[in-house]
Each structure stands twice: as structure tokens, then as C-alpha cells.
Amino acid sequence: MKSKRRHSLLIRTVIFIITLILLLCIMAIGLFYYVFSIPEPEGISTTKFPRDFTNSFSVWVTYGNGELTVEEIGLERLDEYGLWVQFLDENGGEIFSHNKPENYPAKYTAADLLALSTSEYADGYTLFVNSLDGGDEECSYIVGFPYDIGKHMLLYNGSRISRLSPAAKLLIAIGFCVLAASVFAYSVWLSRKLSKVTDGICRLTARDYTQIKEKGMFSGIYASLNEMDRELRQADQVRKETERTRQEWIANITHDLKTPLSPIKGYAELLGDGSVKEEQEIQKYGRIILKNVDHTEKLIDDLKLTYQLESGSIPYRPRNMRIARCIKEWVIDIINDPAFADRDISFESAAPDIAACIDPELFRRAVKNLITNALIHNPADTKIKVEVSAAPENCARISVRDNGVGISEKDKAKLFDRYYRGTNTKEKPEGSGLGLAIAKQIVTLHGGNIMVKSKMNAGTEFIILLPARN
């Protein structure tokens, strides 16, 4: 298959080069006719036409006994071509003229006629001179052509040219053979290089590429292929890592869903078979069931929300609101949650009037996820501080800072990945592992940016920068 592809490439290259040579030849012929051509009624002719016309004009002229007669067809041809003619006797005096411009003389000397035979384009005409034999009498005539015609003549040794003719033919034949061999050799070389490139592209798609040395005429292409291979390998590695993380996440989320379902099923069976009679026990089991149902709903809501945000199908209803006031209310709601009643959470605002265009429900979810994340993954005595302030470039700055265990550099790099769960989440089975990914998606939806600063055993700070409104 590879050999067939290489031969096909070689044939196409040879055809291309031959076609290019033919086009160059056609262009050369066209250039020749463009430079060495004069228009006439019958079409385009070479510059031999003026000389031939001048010499053959005598067939339409009769001269004898001092009388000159020009046939009507000759005059018609002069008119048709836009030419003029002037006949002179042996003394250079004018006998007859047709269409002659007024600025040309009626008498010429022998020296004048000799000069006219080599004269260049002047006064709008190029002149050609010929003689007419009338038996005992001779006359000369001048034909004027309205074209800029060169009269340069090349003189050479004819005997040497005739001796060189066989050698020239041989040299031309050898030259064509050398040219053909060169074209073929170059085609073979070029086809091999191009085959190397096409083979590299095919290997890239098959993920079986071997790095090519970046040298020679195609070094730039080889460098691009090598760079593409590195990028593809890196992308494949990221894809494999993402797929592995996704599968682990699915396994974890499946386990997390089963965890609340087990007590729900167990306590429901106890209540269903009537073995529990006391009202306090029934209420206790009911509360346990409700707690686990709430946990399951939160897991499902996180799954639904993250995919809605990714697909853009979630309703988005932004409006202008005071950020500090909203976040203060959300912090109070978390403090009033019995699960976090004994935790140290504080709020502070240095810009109470700063406003931003937000969807309250969505943005509340983002801020709550950041605070809840700090509460769940840190010890009970961790202090959490939420701050709102103004930032440069007309932005609102929202900070959620704690003095807890911190986040490792490895976890920090993947903290906002949808399928990533940090290394310290094993001790805290609560949550779906989607909280931070959802927070980032919501902040991005609002045109903001989220970042994290953390140091192990010193605490973590999440910072949201949001475009502010006046």
C-alpha cells in the first residue's frame, strides 16, 4: 500500500513538472509574439511582414518610359493597413505618392535613401525602402508603417554556423536528455520527501508516529508534524486521564448514592412491617429517612445543574443587585443551618454599596458551595471569613477564606475539574464532588473569574472577581 502510494505520488509529481515546463514554453512563445509582432488586418504577424510587404508591393506597380502606374488593389492595401507610399525617380525626385504625410520631403539624395534603410521610428512611422526596375529606368519607393519597428541586424560567419549545426543539434539533444533525467531525478527525490510527509500524517492519525529529524528543505514541515505529534500525545494523555477520573467519579457518585439509600431502605422496611410501635422511634426513623433523602436530592441536583450549565439550558435571569447585602443574607442562612450552628463563620464588607448583575439563585449556589466546601473539608474549629470589597477595573471582589488544612499543589491544579475529587475527600463522604466545578461554571456564566490561593496547614482562600455596576 505504501509503495503504491509512493508511485502514485511520483507520477503526479512528474506530470506536474512536465505541465509546468509546457506552460513555461507556451508563455515564452506568447512573450515572443507579444514583443516581435505587428498587427495587420489578417491577424498577428512577425516583424518580417513590413519587409515582405515593401518588397512585394512592386507587383502592383508598372514603370516605364517615365510613366508610373499603381494598381487599385495596391492602393486599397495601403489604405487598409494605414500605410503610405512615395515613388522617386533616379534623381530622387517624387514621381507619385499616396497618403504621404506633409512633413516628409518631395526629394531625397542617395545618402538620404541609404540612411532611411536603417532609420528608426520617427514622426509616427518606420520607413522601408525598395527599388523598382523599369527596364532602362529605375525608381525607388518608400513605404511608411505606423508601428515602432526595430531594424537591428545580426551579422555572423555563415561557414562556421554551418559547421556548428550538427554539434548544435547534438548539444540540444543532450540538453533535453539531461533536462529529462534531471526532472525525473528531482521527481523521485521530491516524491520520496512528500511520501515521508504523507506517511507521517497517516501515522499521526494511527497514533504510530515516529519523530522525524528536522533538517533539509522540508524541515519546517517536519517540525510542524513533530509538534502536532507532541500535542496529540498530550491531548490523548489528558483524554485518558479525564476518562479515568470520570470513571472513578462515576464509581464514587454511585457509591455516594447507595450510601443514603441503604438506611432509607432499612428504616422504611422497619416502619413498613409494623415492628416499631413507639411514636418516638417512628419519628426518629422518619428523620433519618428524610435526612438521607435530602442528601440524595442534593447529589441529583448537583448532577443536573452541572450538565445544565455545560449545555447552556439552565434559565439565567440576571438583575442588578447589591452584592454585599445578598452574600450577608446567604452567610446568615448557613449559620442558621443546624448542621453548622457551632462553626465559626464571619462576614465583613468594605464596599456595602457595590452592585453587580447576577442571577440571585445561581450565584447563591456558587457562594454557598465555596463556604460549604470550607466547612466540610476542614476541622470543626476552623475559622471561615467571607469578605466583599471593591477591586481595580470596576470589579467586585468576593473572598471566602479559612485557616484550615489547605490544599496541595496537585489538588489545586485540578480543583475545578468536573470529575475530580480531592485527596482529602475520603474522610468526608458528603457532597457530590461537583461543588467547586459548579461554582466556577456559575461565576464564568456571570462574566467573572474565580481563583484559589492555598498553603498546606495554613488555610485556603477562594476569590471571585465579578464585573461591578454603578
Side-chain angles (χ1 to χ4, degrees):
M1 183 67 181
K2 182 179 177 181
S3 177
K4 183 178 180 182
R5 189 166 60 244
R6 180 174 294 175
H7 289 159
S8 177
L9 181 60
L10 174 61
I11 292 171
R12 289 197 297 269
T13 306
V14 171
I15 293 174
F16 171 76
I17 294 177
I18 292 175
T19 304
L20 183 62
I21 293 174
L22 290 175
L23 287 175
L24 290 175
C25 292
I26 294 171
M27 289 174 64
I29 294 171
L31 182 62
F32 173 82
Y33 271 96
Y34 176 76
V35 175
F36 302 103
S37 64
I38 297 175
E40 60 167 308
E42 286 79 3
I44 300 296
S45 69
T46 63
T47 50
K48 192 178 178 183
F49 155 70
R51 181 73 66 184
D52 291 343
F53 182 86
T54 303
N55 293 338
S56 62
F57 189 78
S58 59
V59 301
W60 298 313
V61 180
T62 303
Y63 180 61
N65 300 322
E67 293 184 2
L68 180 76
T69 304
V70 181
E71 296 181 14
E72 189 66 28
I73 186 173
L75 300 178
E76 291 177 356
R77 294 294 292 243
L78 291 172
D79 295 336
E80 189 178 12
Y81 291 1
L83 312 179
W84 61 268
V85 68
Q86 183 182 25
F87 285 87
L88 308 171
D89 59 19
E90 292 179 344
N91 298 320
E94 181 179 303
I95 304 172
F96 173 83
S97 68
H98 182 75
N99 295 335
K100 188 194 78 168
E102 294 180 356
N103 58 327
Y104 282 90
K107 185 176 179 61
Y108 297 86
T109 64
D112 292 336
L113 291 176
L114 182 61
L116 288 178
S117 63
T118 58
S119 64
E120 297 182 350
Y121 181 74
D123 299 327
Y125 291 92
T126 304
L127 306 183
F128 285 82
V129 182
N130 196 22
S131 62
L132 178 64
D133 187 1
D136 296 334
E137 299 175 287
E138 285 189 3
C139 73
S140 301
Y141 61 92
I142 304 168
V143 181
F145 291 82
Y147 317 122
D148 186 0
I149 305 169
K151 294 183 179 180
H152 302 287
M153 184 178 296
L154 176 66
L155 302 177
Y156 59 89
N157 190 328
S159 61
R160 292 184 179 179
I161 293 296
S162 62
R163 290 198 303 270
L164 287 173
S165 181
K169 292 179 180 179
L170 179 61
L171 288 175
I172 292 173
I174 292 174
F176 272 110
C177 291
V178 171
L179 178 62
S182 301
V183 168
F184 181 77
Y186 179 76
S187 301
V188 172
W189 175 83
L190 185 61
S191 66
R192 288 181 177 177
K193 295 296 182 181
L194 294 178
S195 178
K196 197 173 182 180
V197 173
T198 55
D199 184 62
I201 294 173
C202 293
R203 286 181 175 273
L204 278 175
T205 58
R207 300 299 191 272
D208 188 29
Y209 180 79
T210 303
Q211 293 278 322
I212 304 175
K213 292 183 179 179
E214 300 173 9
K215 63 179 183 178
M217 179 179 177
F218 295 94
S219 59
I221 297 176
Y222 297 156
S224 298
L225 288 174
N226 293 339
E227 180 63 24
M228 189 181 299
D229 174 62
R230 287 189 288 269
E231 291 179 359
L232 284 175
R233 291 181 185 275
Q234 184 178 3
D236 288 344
Q237 183 63 32
V238 171
R239 181 180 57 81
K240 290 179 181 178
E241 182 65 22
T242 302
E243 180 63 20
R244 183 189 63 79
T245 307
R246 186 183 69 85
Q247 291 177 356
E248 291 179 356
W249 179 82
I250 289 175
N252 290 333
I253 203 70
T254 302
H255 177 267
D256 291 346
L257 283 171
K258 287 183 178 180
T259 299
L261 288 176
S262 296
I264 290 173
K265 181 180 179 182
Y267 287 112
E269 288 176 349
L270 289 175
L271 294 174
D273 61 13
S275 58
V276 180
K277 303 295 185 182
E278 296 183 8
E279 184 176 348
Q280 290 183 348
E281 289 292 320
I282 293 173
Q283 292 177 354
K284 178 183 176 182
Y285 293 165
R287 286 193 296 271
I288 293 174
I289 291 173
L290 286 175
K291 178 183 176 182
N292 285 279
V293 167
D294 288 340
H295 180 54
T296 305
E297 285 182 345
K298 290 178 182 178
L299 292 174
I300 295 172
D301 286 345
D302 283 350
L303 285 170
K304 179 182 177 182
L305 181 58
T306 188
Y307 281 102
Q308 283 181 322
L309 288 168
E310 184 177 357
S311 63
S313 60
I314 191 168
Y316 178 57
R317 304 181 182 89
R319 59 179 187 268
N320 208 34
M321 302 193 71
R322 291 185 179 181
I323 291 295
R325 179 177 179 181
C326 292
I327 294 179
K328 182 178 181 180
E329 292 177 358
W330 301 336
V331 170
I332 292 173
D333 290 342
I334 294 174
I335 293 173
N336 292 332
D337 189 337
F340 307 118
D342 57 345
R343 303 297 294 269
D344 189 348
I345 307 173
S346 62
F347 174 80
E348 184 177 321
S349 174
D353 296 328
I354 193 166
C357 190
I358 62 171
D359 183 319
E361 294 301 319
L362 282 178
F363 206 76
R364 176 179 180 275
R365 184 69 173 271
V367 174
K368 184 179 178 181
N369 283 358
L370 295 179
I371 300 173
T372 304
N373 184 76
L375 291 168
I376 291 177
H377 300 295
N378 284 302
D381 59 348
T382 300
K383 295 181 179 181
I384 298 169
K385 187 175 184 179
V386 182
E387 291 181 290
V388 176
S389 60
E393 299 182 2
N394 195 28
C395 287
R397 184 180 186 274
I398 303 162
S399 169
V400 178
R401 186 171 68 250
D402 65 66
N403 62 345
V405 297
I407 303 171
S408 68
E409 291 298 322
K410 178 182 177 182
D411 287 341
K412 194 161 58 173
K414 300 181 179 181
L415 202 59
F416 297 106
D417 290 355
R418 184 165 43 141
Y419 300 127
Y420 187 74
R421 302 184 77 176
T423 54
N424 65 342
T425 58
K426 294 180 180 179
E427 299 176 1
K428 302 286 184 179
E430 301 91 348
S432 61
L434 291 170
L436 295 180
I438 290 173
K440 182 173 183 179
Q441 287 177 299
I442 292 174
V443 171
T444 303
L445 180 65
H446 284 78
N449 188 27
I450 185 171
M451 60 195 80
V452 60
K453 297 179 182 179
S454 185
K455 188 175 181 180
M456 292 300 295
N457 301 317
T460 302
E461 181 182 17
F462 287 93
I463 300 169
I464 297 176
L465 294 177
L466 198 65
R469 293 289 183 92
N470 297 324

